[in-house]
Amino acid sequence: MTKSTFLGLFITALLAISCQDNEQAQQQTAATPLPVIEVPQRTVTGYTSYPVSIEGTVNSAVRAKVPGYITQVLVDEGEKVRKGQTLFKLETESLSQDAGAAKANVNAAQVEVDKLKPLVEKGIISPVQLETAKARLEQAKAGYSSIAASIGYATIKSPVDGYVGAINFREGALVSPGDPTPLTTVSDIDEVYAFFSMNERDYLNFIQNAEGENLSEKIDNFPPVQLQLVNDQIYSETGEIQTVTGQIDPTTGTVGFRAMFPNPNNILASGNSGRIRIPRTYENFPVVPESASFEQQGRVYVYGVQGDSLAVSVPIEVVDRVQNLIVVKEGIKPGDRIVAQGVGKLRNNTPIIPQPIPFDSIATSIKPIFK
């Protein structure tokens, strides 16, 4: 090998080494600083919610039993009443007149019976005449009793202990038993029912995941539920699911549920609405923030950190999404390092400059879901 050839090879080697150094420098220069977290294992509780309607456990419509004009309304809306307390009075003047006539008929019939008894005993008249007079007396008594009962029905009383709802008729209104609208409704709201429905898929998932061998045992093992009021506040008392229809409504495709909530301060009333919140808890699962994930062709991925500076896409199997967290079944494990934010800037095998940050700094806004 000549000296010139050796010199040429040496220069070529130096150039190759220089190019490699330049490429590495360019790669390091192109690497993006990104926040990186370690995947934690957490117990996470999320909620599924459904629209709900509230009714008192006793919800009794108050109606007139006889027709008449209202002369007195003796209670006000929202007032607490006892069973048997008078709520309304109807006009009884015409009934009183009828009662007077009916009482006179009873007296006349009684006189007739008393007159015929001695005549029968002496054999002057046939016993049949006396029996006929007694029948007329009983008929007169029945007529009087009916009118007296109607007078009693003109005093309308509460059928249950509870609270008076809307009063739909006032003094002077003509009411009758056939009115479609009740005079009012008296509700017992010391406890209230919350009625809601699930679609068929949610119902099957819920029932299958509940503990127990049969529907009755599963109902007993249902977790306590929450009530979100229309102002978005969570009601202070937890409730329990008591009944499930177990049948799919062919019209709506849903299954009906009934939960019961204590109502010690009478905050809830019949007619309230809101949303029932049913908890679902995942114990000791790996979790990642939504900001660390991306989707591609129907699959969910995160970028794991390989070595010290390489972001590698990793497919994960999602169990559920709870607020801003993804509960993971497979693909990553606790302790793995992943890119926490900025994944939209990356491609598979992209160099990065890891910037370690605490997981809770990403999850601060979702801390309430942790047990």
Side-chain angles (χ1 to χ4, degrees):
M1 181 181 295
T2 64
K3 182 181 294 185
S4 60
T5 300
F6 178 80
L7 182 61
L9 291 173
F10 178 73
I11 292 172
T12 301
L14 287 176
L15 289 173
I17 293 170
S18 176
C19 288
Q20 289 179 352
D21 290 343
N22 287 336
E23 288 178 2
Q24 290 177 355
Q26 289 174 358
Q27 288 179 351
Q28 290 178 353
T29 302
T32 304
L34 289 173
V36 170
I37 58 173
E38 287 191 4
V39 175
Q41 179 174 280
R42 298 287 175 93
T43 294
V44 179
T45 299
Y47 293 88
T48 305
S49 67
Y50 300 92
V52 69
S53 59
I54 304 297
E55 290 185 13
T57 52
V58 176
N59 217 36
S60 183
V62 178
R63 299 180 182 275
K65 292 185 178 181
V66 293
Y69 290 94
I70 297 176
T71 58
Q72 288 182 285
V73 178
L74 300 173
V75 292
D76 203 354
E77 295 174 347
E79 184 176 336
K80 186 174 184 178
V81 295
R82 307 296 297 177
K83 181 178 180 179
Q85 181 175 336
T86 301
L87 308 179
F88 302 88
K89 284 190 175 182
L90 304 184
E91 177 270 324
T92 60
E93 184 177 348
S94 60
L95 288 174
S96 297
Q97 293 173 356
D98 292 342
K103 183 63 174 175
N105 289 336
V106 170
N107 293 337
Q110 184 68 59
V111 168
E112 181 68 14
V113 169
D114 294 341
K115 182 179 72 173
L116 295 178
K117 277 183 180 180
L119 297 178
V120 171
E121 293 172 358
K122 296 176 181 179
I124 299 174
I125 63 172
S126 168
V128 173
Q129 290 180 271
L130 178 59
E131 294 303 320
T132 302
K134 287 181 177 179
R136 285 196 292 266
L137 174 60
E138 293 303 319
Q139 186 177 14
K141 287 181 177 179
Y144 174 74
S145 296
S146 177
I147 296 172
S150 295
I151 293 175
Y153 292 149
T155 299
I156 301 172
K157 299 179 179 181
S158 176
V160 295
D161 295 341
Y163 290 83
V164 177
I167 295 177
N168 302 310
F169 299 90
R170 295 289 176 173
E171 287 87 348
L174 176 62
V175 296
S176 70
D179 290 336
T181 304
L183 300 178
T184 189
T185 300
V186 178
S187 301
D188 181 353
I189 57 172
D190 289 339
E191 294 177 332
V192 296
Y193 288 141
F195 295 94
F196 65 100
S197 299
M198 289 186 189
N199 62 42
E200 187 174 355
R201 182 196 300 182
D202 287 354
Y203 167 72
L204 290 175
N205 289 337
F206 183 61
I207 291 296
Q208 288 172 346
N209 291 330
E211 297 179 3
E213 296 297 324
N214 52 51
L215 182 59
S216 178
E217 290 183 5
K218 289 177 180 289
I219 291 174
D220 290 340
N221 291 323
F222 285 163
V225 294
Q226 295 181 343
L227 179 62
Q228 184 176 9
L229 305 175
V230 292
N231 62 358
D232 293 330
Q233 296 296 310
I234 302 301
Y235 180 56
S236 59
E237 304 285 340
T238 58
E240 60 177 11
I241 297 174
Q242 292 185 325
T243 63
V244 181
T245 61
Q247 295 180 342
I248 308 296
D249 186 323
T251 304
T252 62
T254 59
V255 179
F257 286 71
R258 189 189 76 200
M260 189 277 290
F261 285 85
N263 191 28
N265 298 320
N266 298 324
I267 292 175
L268 304 177
S270 291
N272 281 154
S273 60
R275 298 188 70 85
I276 202 87
R277 286 163 46 93
I278 302 175
R280 58 190 191 280
T281 299
Y282 304 97
E283 294 188 0
N284 301 320
F285 273 80
V287 294
V288 299
E290 288 276 9
S291 61
S293 70
F294 67 98
E295 293 191 20
Q296 194 172 69
Q297 296 181 342
R299 299 200 65 181
V300 180
Y301 292 81
V302 295
Y303 279 107
V305 179
Q306 188 177 84
D308 292 329
S309 60
L310 195 63
V312 178
S313 62
V314 179
I316 60 174
E317 183 176 345
V318 176
V319 177
D320 201 353
R321 297 176 186 267
V322 178
Q323 293 188 17
N324 295 322
L325 282 184
I326 296 176
V327 183
V328 181
K329 184 177 181 181
E330 292 181 355
I332 55 174
K333 61 184 184 299
D336 288 350
R337 294 190 303 156
I338 63 170
V339 177
Q341 293 176 325
V343 296
K345 305 174 183 178
L346 298 177
R347 296 293 182 269
N348 192 26
N349 296 317
T350 302
I352 64 170
I353 301 174
Q355 305 288 316
I357 62 173
F359 175 82
D360 286 341
S361 68
I362 298 292
T364 298
S365 63
I366 47 180
K367 280 184 179 179
I369 66 174
F370 296 144
K371 286 183 69 178

